[in-house]
Amino acid sequence: MSLAATKFSVILYGMTHALNFQASRFPEFAKRLKEKNFTCQIATADKSIARYYTFNDGRVSSESGLHPKPDITISVASAKIGARLFVPWVDQLERIEAMKNYQFGADGSDELIVWFTQTMMLMQNPEVEYGIDMGDGTKRYVTNTNGGPLFVYVKDGKVIRTTPMEFTDQDAPAWTIKARGKSFTPPHKTTLSPHGVSVKSTLYSPDRLLYPMKRVDFDPKGERNPQNRGISGYERISWEEALDIVAGEITRVKTEHGQGAILGNHGSHHMWGNIGYYISAAYKFFNTIGASRVAHNPDSWEGWYWGATHHYGYSMRLGQVEFYNTIEDCMKECEMMVFWSSDPEATNGAYGGFEATIRRQWLKDLGIELVHIDPYFNHTAALLGGKWMAPKPGTDTALALAIAHVWMTEGLYDKKFVADRCVGFDVWSDYVLGKEDGVPKTPEWQQAETGVPAKEVRALARKWGKTKTYLAAGGPGNGHGGACRAANGIQFARALACLMGMQGMGKPGVNYGNLQYGGPIDIRFYFPGYAEGGMSGDIQNTGIPVSLYQRMPQLPSYGPSMQKVPRLRIPEAIMDGKAEGYPWNGFTIEGQFMKFSYPAPGHSPIKMLYKYGGASIGTMTETNRYVNMYRTDKLEFVVNQSIWFEGEAKFADVLLPACTQFERWDISDLAHAGGYGMHYQTQMNHRVIMLQHKCIEPLGESKSDIRIFTEICSRLGLGTYFCEGMNELDWVKRVFDASDLPKVISWKEFLKKGYYVVPPLEEGKRDPVAMRWFYEGRKKDVPEPSPLPGDYRKQFLMGLQTQSGKFEFECSSLKHFDANDPERPPIVRYLQSWEGPQTKELFGRFPLQLLSPHSRFSFHTFADGKQCSTNDIAEHRVLVKGYYYWVVRINAQDARARGIKHHDLVKVHNDRGAVLCAAHVTSRLGQGTAHSYSSSAVYDPLGEPGNSVDRGGCINNLTPKRSIASKVLGMAPNSCLVEVELWDGSTALGARAGTSEKVAANAAAAKEAMPS
Amino acid sequence: MKKWNLLIDVAKCFNCNNCALAVHDEYCGNSFPGYAEEMPRQGHRWIEIRQREQGEYPMVEVAYLPVTCNHCDEPSCMKGAPEGAISKRADGIVIFDPVRSKGHPELVKSCPYGMIWWNEEKQLPQTWPFDAHLLDKGWTQTRASQVCPTNAFQTLHLEDEEMQRMVRDEKLEVLHPEFGNKPRVYYKNLDSYFKSFVGGTLEGMLNGAIECIADAHIVLWKGTQKLAETVSDTYGDFRFRRLDADGASYRIEVSDPRFSSKTLEFALKKSCHLGAIALEPKAAKAA
């Protein structure tokens, strides 16, 4: 016998004893061994070495040789390979390469193979020690959320409390920025946004789905009654039955209808974590079952992506710009900050907790003057003070053009920068100055559009032109903002980009930002962001090829369906059978031009929907469409894998209860999105990488997403492929090993403590300031892997991503695409909204412009409804007669004209639907403007679903489905006309007869009654 | 001995509600024998943020006032309460005994601040117990302080003399001192919630266009008393805060070397924006 053969034989023999030995030491492992009785054969291909294992009531025995009828067989090509693969320290690359090269395989029940391989993994470390013992029977664990990280205090299997993380002397200290003779250091802790503080209340929500459910009148073998989705109730079923139905439907739909008939749809966000995230596990799953993809629109970026990108590139950031070290630059150099459609105190930079709120408290000490441009007197303006300007919704572009007009006529811009680093300025200035169309875009001209006095625009323009100014564009400061999600959001983002082009973006003190992004933490320490794909193996649709795929070798996954359905057109795709879309694509500027159609050639229409969560009705546009889509027989089967029974989860045929991140393992970097959100963690005051402990067991019968996916895949023989035979903690450990963490902390210590603080960068060693390289005409020196190497024009790292490599006031990419597109001409022009005061007929009936920005206390549908603690925040929901109503803010004079008092129940409606809200009467809005956050988690129709008044607060029932422009596919929820009236108790859609006339008469009367 | 106090800076509160949510996190689903029974899942606000919006579009101010159990040194609730139902600890904290206060809904009305909540299911009057169970275990701050992003909530463990010195030095106030309850919850910048403001916007003709008039000098008078003075900002805006909206007559005088002086009289019944105030060019000298 060769040495390898001897070695392999010994290993196989030893495995029996190792299993039994570990079971004798670890009760949990002993329990696991009792789960299955079966026989496993392990053998070389030539059967020269073979041993079979019998698992019987928790005892493992083995015999050398071949079993006549093993339940599963694991085979290796040779003893040599077996000896290398069957050792605990095996390299995963070697293992999966052996699989890919047909040297290592398994046969038999997939469920048993998964169980066996996971058990073998578990055997190496059956009961890990983790968490900090607090001495009173309480253990402190760590987890992470969309709203910040948490210390989690657990006692007797129950989460007692969750708090921000407070660091100790053992952890790296905070950074200090010295500016204007003062030193600024953030506190040595993390912060939480409201949806982070309320997360325990969502964990223990009475609306948790705790058991698999089936709609009572759904029979996969008989009557399906799709018309009753959203109406008929549910009954509890076993996991066996639920998973059999789902796997059975996957098989049936694929065989009956062919390629692409299953649609896998997930929300934009998920429980935080790199392994359990949708870009990780769900992508692998959807690829594994061969589902068609949903093509998301760049929902928070819209105008920046479709518009601003053409002026300066940054396709990788979907039109947002780089932000490196802008916090230090801003604090040292900037004199004025203009917040434009920017309310960071309400939107928290997406995942940033209140990290930047602390820093913005320093603005006063720094003497930076503030301006807020927003139709709503937002929370940032209210907290920080400064000048408030309130253009009518949808007119921001006119204001921006007038600012440019003042700069052009008074010479208040960076002429050298415009001459050296920009192209097309003459063409644009001809338009702005009116040489081209005879209409100079003066401050007086804009006043008629925006309602902002011309004198104020002149004052702002002059001040801005003479002082070093940071433009806080949108909540993050470098893009986003409600104004970019409107009919003319493309123009808005383009106009703002052009203003920064004129002022010399990158000059000291002149940049994008509001102290949200660009802190001096160390991003060169490698740890992946969630968009890097985790365990997805998806090299097409995630950021995995950049680093993680090499660092964490895994089986690749590739979806066979070439079909994509645009997310905003899923209802049309299902109901009308066709749809068209434009993609979001980070690789190049031109990627967004690649129009696609549904159905894809030769592909089946969608027949089955695998929905992950329940957010669509609250977050998409004109969302009664989604309700109606669910109620058609064109969707033969709908399964929803959801944590809570909410939103569209109530329209599924089968419900699979998923657990939260408290109930499973994961690992992550605070606020680190990666991909399009590259280096978003620079908004944190401390870079904290954390193990997300499994704090408690899953509630009820809920399971982790990965476990649900694995069990469905096992029914299709694909479980082993899906999970690579690994447990979730194994995947977590692999991410740990793939990162730079092992260089600084042991796995044991990391498991116990749960986090590591990456030391910040010292003064003088910090990242170069964003765009300074471009301002100074140097090679790009910031740590941003975009544009692609092949997308530079002359020299690598020289210039922007545009054709000229310069800032283009006149965009060559748009000239190439369609120079005559009136909605997206090569230079930015002012265009009135396709839904607003100028759309006279509609405005006559629905005279209020409704803004619906990202919500303040909840995050999309997280931490809303489901009886969680945010319900008792009166600015979030108001309790009226026992029901928590969503809030609509209405101008005091508009309210008076309609006889509406504070917290009256009102019907907000238009031709698309009607939503009941509690009125919040305010002067924080100009007359004619209303405001209600988007993203209610509750859809609660009072009559027929999709065709009646919603009292849950899904304000997106009312927003237009129309694309932001015809040659893109983006959403424009902030271009929405509505009427608001006292609710008369009716459940029907539409207004009471004569309402608008009455309102108009009352409005006139109220105006006269107002003090002058 | 050192006692517990809370200091709330009204100017730093922006209604994020982290404090209220942290209280829910601590007490909903948990009972702490001797300190507090579970808070109901919905309906109680042991810390409640009240808001006051003042002014009119386009000059608006919003102030937020977090209110909670004041842990009064002369607590109204204790007067007439059943034996042992409510106790005042030596460290200043007022505790509603979750056993002995049971079945006493009348206690809810005993708080002049309206911060006792009735737990229908448990038949208990409940208030925020200052997180005493945590402080007793060595915590140095309350959950509300810990989660407050602007440091608007500070938990102070001080000798009464030190606290009183701080009250004097930093001009701290309590809610409704006239109740005589001697609260241990102190406020900074309470004026921004209770007082009023008046503002205006100056404009005038410069080089043929109507412009915002910056750097003009504005004086506020009440009768013969000069209350305050300020200068207009880039946008011609000016504002006087911390006024009593008592309906009394006020007067502002605007002076700018480029324009004739201007005087405006008004009665201040509530915070207001006087609107655009047009300054006239200096009268040309008679020929």
Side-chain angles (χ1 to χ4, degrees):
Chain A
M1 200 181 245
S2 70
L3 182 65
T6 310
K7 202 170 157 193
F8 188 40
S9 299
V10 170
I11 290 169
L12 292 184
Y13 174 73
M15 265 170 43
T16 327
H17 299 287
L19 283 163
N20 288 325
F21 177 68
Q22 293 296 67
S24 71
R25 287 175 64 206
F26 301 104
E28 282 301 310
F29 190 66
K31 221 164 97 187
R32 167 132 187 143
L33 288 191
K34 286 191 184 122
E35 285 174 9
K36 308 272 178 195
N37 289 340
F38 69 107
T39 313
C40 168
Q41 175 81 62
I42 298 179
T44 54
D46 62 1
K47 314 280 191 269
S48 62
I49 295 171
R51 179 167 283 275
Y52 62 90
Y53 302 82
T54 306
F55 289 76
N56 191 15
D57 295 337
R59 283 300 294 173
V60 185
S61 56
S62 75
E63 295 284 339
S64 178
L66 291 168
H67 188 276
K69 213 180 159 196
D71 296 291
I72 60 174
T73 303
I74 292 170
S75 53
V76 290
S78 68
K80 193 174 170 188
I81 290 166
R84 289 179 65 89
L85 297 182
F86 281 75
V87 288
W89 52 88
V90 62
D91 181 68
Q92 184 65 9
L93 178 61
E94 188 160 5
R95 190 181 282 172
I96 61 175
E97 281 306 300
M99 292 181 207
K100 286 193 254 178
N101 291 302
Y102 304 95
Q103 295 172 319
F104 184 33
D107 195 15
S109 155
D110 184 76
E111 187 197 341
L112 286 176
I113 296 166
V114 170
W115 185 91
F116 176 72
T117 51
Q118 287 184 339
T119 302
M120 294 305 290
M121 293 299 296
L122 209 54
M123 178 183 76
Q124 297 169 33
N125 209 353
E127 283 175 31
V128 290
E129 292 271 331
Y130 63 99
I132 304 284
D133 200 334
M134 301 307 283
D136 59 349
T138 308
K139 267 204 159 183
R140 193 191 76 192
Y141 298 122
V142 171
T143 197
N144 200 357
T145 74
N146 290 294
L150 298 166
F151 279 155
V152 184
Y153 293 78
V154 174
K155 195 174 184 182
D156 302 327
K158 186 181 132 189
V159 176
I160 301 295
R161 74 178 57 86
T162 62
T163 73
M165 301 175 100
E166 290 182 314
F167 301 124
T168 71
D169 296 347
Q170 306 297 307
D171 302 310
W175 45 259
T176 295
I177 288 177
K178 294 190 194 116
R180 304 174 210 214
K182 294 174 187 160
S183 284
F184 298 89
T185 306
H188 205 204
K189 62 182 210 177
T190 62
T191 56
L192 290 165
S193 48
H195 54 92
V197 185
S198 51
V199 69
K200 190 188 102 185
S201 75
T202 68
L203 164 68
Y204 291 118
S205 162
D207 292 353
R208 273 289 297 268
L209 271 172
L210 297 177
Y211 307 99
M213 306 275 230
K214 185 180 79 65
R215 191 159 53 78
V216 288
D217 51 359
F218 170 77
D219 178 0
K221 296 198 174 69
E223 288 297 319
R224 290 175 179 245
N225 295 305
Q227 74 284 359
N228 288 339
R229 290 190 185 121
I231 295 173
S232 48
Y234 289 86
E235 62 192 11
R236 184 176 163 182
I237 56 174
S238 68
W239 268 111
E240 282 301 302
E241 185 180 353
L243 296 173
D244 284 346
I245 293 174
V246 175
E249 284 298 297
I250 291 171
T251 303
R252 181 189 67 77
V253 167
K254 285 173 87 167
T255 47
E256 276 183 23
H257 300 293
Q259 186 69 277
I262 304 169
L263 183 66
N265 187 15
H266 54 81
S268 288
H269 293 88
H270 197 227
M271 297 280 119
W272 197 273
N274 281 39
I275 290 302
Y277 210 72
Y278 75 86
I279 299 182
S280 175
Y283 274 25
K284 175 95 181 248
F285 174 71
F286 290 142
N287 285 341
T288 301
I289 64 168
S292 292
R293 293 181 61 80
V294 170
H296 280 213
N297 53 308
D299 40 19
S300 296
W301 293 261
E302 299 294 9
W304 297 91
Y305 174 66
W306 306 113
T309 301
H310 299 288
H311 293 279
Y312 53 45
Y314 291 104
S315 65
M316 185 198 77
R317 295 189 183 279
L318 308 179
Q320 286 186 305
V321 294
E322 59 185 69
F323 39 63
Y324 300 97
N325 214 20
T326 46
I327 290 176
E328 188 170 32
D329 177 64
C330 178
M331 290 175 64
K332 286 187 161 156
E333 301 283 347
C334 160
E335 297 160 316
M336 180 164 84
M337 187 176 279
V338 178
F339 291 83
W340 203 322
S341 196
S342 175
D343 189 9
E345 304 306 0
T347 52
N348 309 110
Y351 318 121
F354 281 122
E355 298 284 299
T357 300
I358 292 166
R359 300 190 290 266
R360 280 186 292 269
Q361 293 282 297
W362 300 336
L363 284 165
K364 205 180 219 172
D365 304 319
L366 294 163
I368 296 174
E369 196 175 325
L370 308 179
V371 176
H372 306 273
I373 304 175
D374 190 331
Y376 178 57
F377 183 64
N378 65 41
H379 305 287
T380 308
L383 175 64
L384 302 178
K387 175 65 180 174
W388 175 39
M389 291 185 180
K392 287 175 194 154
T395 66
D396 303 68
T397 311
L399 200 160
L401 292 177
I403 291 171
H405 188 275
V406 174
W407 291 348
M408 288 171 186
T409 51
E410 301 186 11
L412 297 173
Y413 62 98
D414 190 332
K415 297 186 194 74
K416 187 170 186 321
F417 180 85
V418 168
D420 295 349
R421 308 269 176 265
C422 307
V423 295
F425 184 66
D426 293 347
V427 182
W428 189 54
S429 65
D430 281 354
Y431 166 73
V432 173
L433 296 172
K435 290 181 193 165
E436 183 216 282
D437 60 354
V439 183
K441 313 302 174 299
T442 62
E444 278 71 16
W445 165 81
Q446 70 81 42
Q447 183 170 338
E449 295 295 318
T450 65
V452 177
K455 58 177 180 164
E456 292 193 6
V457 175
R458 260 195 302 277
L460 171 63
R462 287 173 183 154
K463 184 93 185 176
W464 191 339
K466 290 172 188 165
T467 45
K468 291 186 281 182
T469 300
Y470 259 62
L471 172 62
N478 66 330
H480 292 192
C484 83
R485 292 186 295 279
N488 32 27
I490 291 176
Q491 288 82 358
F492 160 75
R494 294 183 66 184
L496 262 53
C498 289
L499 293 184
M500 289 303 286
M502 285 185 77
Q503 290 304 327
M505 55 193 204
K507 182 159 58 181
V510 177
N511 222 313
Y512 289 86
N514 50 16
L515 301 185
Q516 186 71 39
Y517 285 89
I521 60 166
D522 183 3
I523 50 84
R524 287 170 169 82
F525 183 94
Y526 182 77
F527 188 90
Y530 68 64
E532 284 178 70
M535 62 169 284
S536 68
D538 189 334
I539 45 178
Q540 278 184 303
N541 303 297
T542 76
I544 207 167
V546 181
S547 281
L548 190 62
Y549 197 59
Q550 289 81 276
R551 286 173 171 258
M552 191 170 96
Q554 51 186 294
L555 297 174
S557 82
Y558 190 98
S561 169
M562 296 300 216
Q563 179 153 277
K564 288 187 290 187
V565 184
R567 184 174 60 173
L568 293 170
R569 296 287 175 266
I570 295 174
E572 286 72 22
I574 303 290
M575 291 189 289
D576 308 338
K578 51 182 191 245
E580 288 181 340
Y582 289 86
W584 86 0
N585 178 308
F587 292 106
T588 67
I589 293 174
E590 291 75 16
Q592 61 176 259
F593 298 147
M594 304 297 127
K595 184 175 165 182
F596 63 91
S597 298
Y598 165 90
H603 284 62
S604 162
I606 300 301
K607 297 290 179 184
M608 165 176 165
L609 177 60
Y610 199 115
K611 183 71 179 69
Y612 199 45
S616 303
I617 305 171
T619 57
M620 296 292 103
T621 49
E622 202 170 330
T623 51
N624 275 322
R625 293 182 299 144
Y626 292 78
V627 178
N628 292 326
M629 165 193 91
Y630 277 117
R631 305 187 64 231
T632 155
D633 60 2
K634 290 180 179 169
L635 268 184
E636 294 174 358
F637 180 61
V638 178
V639 54
N640 197 314
Q641 182 165 317
S642 184
I643 298 169
W644 299 282
F645 189 53
E646 62 178 1
E648 77 205 279
K650 297 183 173 179
F651 290 81
D653 300 323
V654 169
L655 286 160
L656 304 178
C659 70
T660 69
Q661 83 278 15
F662 286 100
E663 299 147 270
R664 58 171 176 79
W665 290 100
D666 218 317
I667 185 169
S668 63
D669 189 359
L670 193 49
H672 185 177
Y676 304 134
M678 180 67 77
H679 300 146
Y680 268 18
Q681 69 271 47
T682 64
Q683 64 182 312
M684 310 312 296
N685 287 320
H686 306 273
R687 185 169 181 205
V688 195
I689 301 171
M690 64 203 77
L691 190 78
Q692 296 183 210
H693 291 125
K694 181 179 179 183
C695 304
I696 56 169
E697 287 300 315
L699 299 185
E701 289 185 2
S702 67
K703 294 181 181 185
S704 72
D705 292 316
I706 291 179
R707 194 162 162 207
I708 297 170
F709 291 147
T710 307
E711 291 179 7
I712 291 171
C713 285
S714 267
R715 283 166 166 74
L716 305 168
L718 284 162
T720 317
Y721 166 70
F722 174 77
C723 69
E724 293 188 15
M726 302 237 157
N727 300 287
E728 286 164 55
L729 185 58
D730 301 323
W731 280 105
V732 167
K733 170 76 164 41
R734 286 179 65 192
V735 175
F736 173 87
D737 289 334
S739 75
D740 283 343
L741 282 172
K743 297 171 188 166
V744 293
I745 188 170
S746 70
W747 171 243
K748 196 176 165 191
E749 172 69 9
F750 191 59
L751 258 178
K752 183 176 176 192
K753 187 177 173 186
Y755 68 93
Y756 172 74
V757 183
V758 182
L761 300 170
E762 291 168 31
E763 202 175 8
K765 294 180 183 169
R766 292 173 181 162
D767 286 324
V769 177
M771 299 190 288
R772 182 71 44 81
W773 59 274
F774 179 66
Y775 182 75
E776 295 178 353
R778 293 184 281 106
K779 277 191 175 179
K780 186 166 185 168
D781 57 1
V782 295
E784 182 182 77
S786 172
L788 294 173
D791 218 6
Y792 285 97
R793 307 302 151 211
K794 294 171 184 166
Q795 282 287 308
F796 182 47
L797 298 178
M798 283 298 286
L800 299 173
Q801 199 180 358
T802 54
Q803 182 177 339
S804 60
K806 297 185 173 185
F807 183 93
E808 297 191 350
F809 285 99
E810 187 186 24
C811 306
S812 18
S813 47
L814 293 177
K815 271 165 114 173
H816 295 308
F817 178 59
D818 183 356
N820 299 313
D821 183 352
E823 290 179 307
R824 206 163 43 151
I827 56 165
V828 59
R829 296 162 190 273
Y830 178 58
L831 204 61
Q832 287 185 324
S833 171
W834 41 249
E835 181 161 333
Q838 56 290 331
T839 49
K840 297 256 182 297
E841 187 278 330
L842 202 63
F843 188 65
R845 292 190 293 135
F846 305 111
L848 299 176
Q849 287 185 275
L850 177 71
L851 300 167
S852 53
H854 289 335
S855 52
R856 182 181 186 195
F857 300 101
S858 46
F859 184 66
H860 302 289
T861 54
F862 289 118
D864 174 51
K866 41 196 171 275
Q867 300 183 49
C868 63
S869 54
T870 52
N871 279 2
D872 277 307
I873 300 174
E875 277 265 8
H876 184 70
R877 284 187 180 269
V878 175
L879 185 63
V880 182
K881 291 179 189 155
Y883 194 87
Y884 283 94
Y885 288 90
W886 198 250
V887 175
V888 65
R889 291 159 195 82
I890 181 167
N891 167 277
Q893 292 170 55
D894 291 330
R896 202 175 315 154
R898 290 161 176 77
I900 294 166
K901 296 185 302 300
H902 199 58
H903 287 180
D904 274 348
L905 284 189
V906 294
K907 184 163 96 171
V908 189
H909 66 98
N910 59 20
D911 288 337
R912 304 177 191 113
V915 182
L916 295 187
C917 289
H920 183 108
V921 178
T922 183
S923 293
R924 298 175 74 159
L925 290 162
Q927 220 177 336
T929 312
H931 174 294
S932 182
Y933 289 116
S934 64
S935 306
S936 162
V938 186
Y939 175 62
D940 188 4
L942 289 179
E944 187 194 356
N947 194 29
S948 61
V949 174
D950 167 40
R951 80 165 174 174
C954 287
I955 220 73
N956 269 315
N957 271 193
L958 312 176
T959 54
K961 69 178 176 195
R962 180 168 167 174
S963 176
I964 181 169
S966 59
K967 291 193 171 178
V968 308
L969 186 52
M971 66 208 297
N974 290 313
S975 296
C976 178
L977 292 174
V978 298
E979 179 55 294
V980 178
E981 62 184 42
L982 279 169
W983 184 42
D984 63 357
S986 74
T987 58
L989 296 179
R992 287 172 300 191
T995 299
S996 290
E997 292 81 349
K998 229 185 302 171
V999 168
N1002 286 346
K1007 212 167 191 178
E1008 281 162 22
M1010 289 299 294
S1012 54
Chain B
M1 72 175 293
K2 285 189 177 178
K3 297 183 185 176
W4 295 102
N5 310 273
L6 199 66
L7 172 55
I8 298 173
D9 187 345
V10 176
K12 286 185 172 174
C13 178
F14 64 116
N15 198 34
C16 78
N17 274 275
N18 268 9
C19 51
L21 297 168
V23 165
H24 189 280
D25 181 85
E26 185 65 31
Y27 297 99
C28 179
N30 295 324
S31 68
F32 301 103
Y35 297 96
E37 248 300 344
E38 280 184 36
M39 179 188 194
R41 174 164 271 278
Q42 306 268 250
H44 280 207
R45 288 192 289 266
W46 293 3
I47 294 180
E48 179 173 77
I49 304 182
R50 297 172 187 165
Q51 65 172 282
R52 185 170 181 217
E53 188 183 295
Q54 301 194 70
E56 284 142 14
Y57 175 87
M59 193 177 275
V60 180
E61 292 194 356
V62 195
Y64 300 99
L65 180 71
V67 183
T68 183
C69 171
N70 274 294
H71 295 272
C72 306
D73 283 346
E74 301 282 343
S76 306
C77 55
M78 273 180 79
K79 293 170 195 154
E83 179 69 26
I86 305 172
S87 58
K88 177 80 177 171
R89 303 189 348 165
D91 62 3
I93 294 174
V94 174
I95 296 285
F96 276 49
D97 187 290
V99 177
R100 283 184 247 187
S101 64
K102 192 168 183 165
H104 290 283
E106 73 282 1
L107 291 175
V108 172
K109 287 194 182 131
S110 68
C111 176
Y113 301 98
M115 285 313 295
I116 303 174
W117 301 80
W118 181 246
N119 185 328
E120 186 62 37
E121 188 204 334
K122 298 193 185 299
Q123 291 292 298
L124 269 181
Q126 294 186 291
T127 63
W128 176 61
F130 214 100
D131 299 347
H133 61 293
L134 296 175
L135 301 176
D136 288 353
K137 273 192 195 166
W139 282 54
T140 56
Q141 59 178 336
T142 58
R143 297 282 317 266
S145 303
Q146 190 187 34
V147 294
C148 180
T150 57
N151 228 7
F153 269 74
Q154 289 181 59
T155 311
L156 301 175
H157 197 213
L158 298 172
E159 302 279 351
D160 277 350
E161 298 73 49
E162 285 177 88
M163 190 65 225
Q164 287 316 310
R165 199 176 315 129
M166 199 171 163
V167 168
R168 283 191 304 275
D169 293 351
E170 300 189 21
K171 298 190 173 61
L172 306 182
E173 296 172 83
V174 296
L175 277 186
H176 299 295
E178 72 278 10
F179 294 162
N181 282 34
K182 297 189 179 163
R184 301 196 72 83
V185 177
Y186 294 89
Y187 290 87
K188 208 179 206 169
N189 295 310
L190 203 50
D191 280 356
S192 58
Y193 188 83
F194 285 108
K195 298 276 183 165
S196 301
F197 78 85
V198 63
T201 304
L202 304 180
E203 63 178 37
M205 189 71 82
L206 288 177
N207 302 323
I210 294 172
E211 302 287 6
C212 302
I213 303 303
D215 301 320
H217 188 238
I218 306 112
V219 182
L220 176 71
W221 295 85
K222 191 176 189 182
T224 54
Q225 194 192 355
K226 184 176 173 180
L227 287 182
E229 52 193 315
T230 188
V231 285
S232 57
D233 68 12
T234 309
Y235 308 94
D237 289 341
F238 65 88
R239 214 178 298 205
F240 294 101
R241 295 186 170 90
R242 296 171 189 253
L243 303 176
D244 290 314
D246 50 6
S249 185
Y250 288 78
R251 185 173 84 251
I252 55 162
E253 288 175 5
V254 184
S255 55
D256 183 286
R258 297 163 291 181
F259 298 94
S260 298
S261 295
K262 185 143 192 168
T263 303
L264 248 92
E265 294 213 21
F266 55 93
L268 189 66
K269 291 181 193 134
K270 59 175 186 172
S271 288
C272 69
H273 180 232
L274 299 168
I277 301 166
L279 300 182
E280 304 300 333
K282 281 197 166 160
K285 284 183 183 156

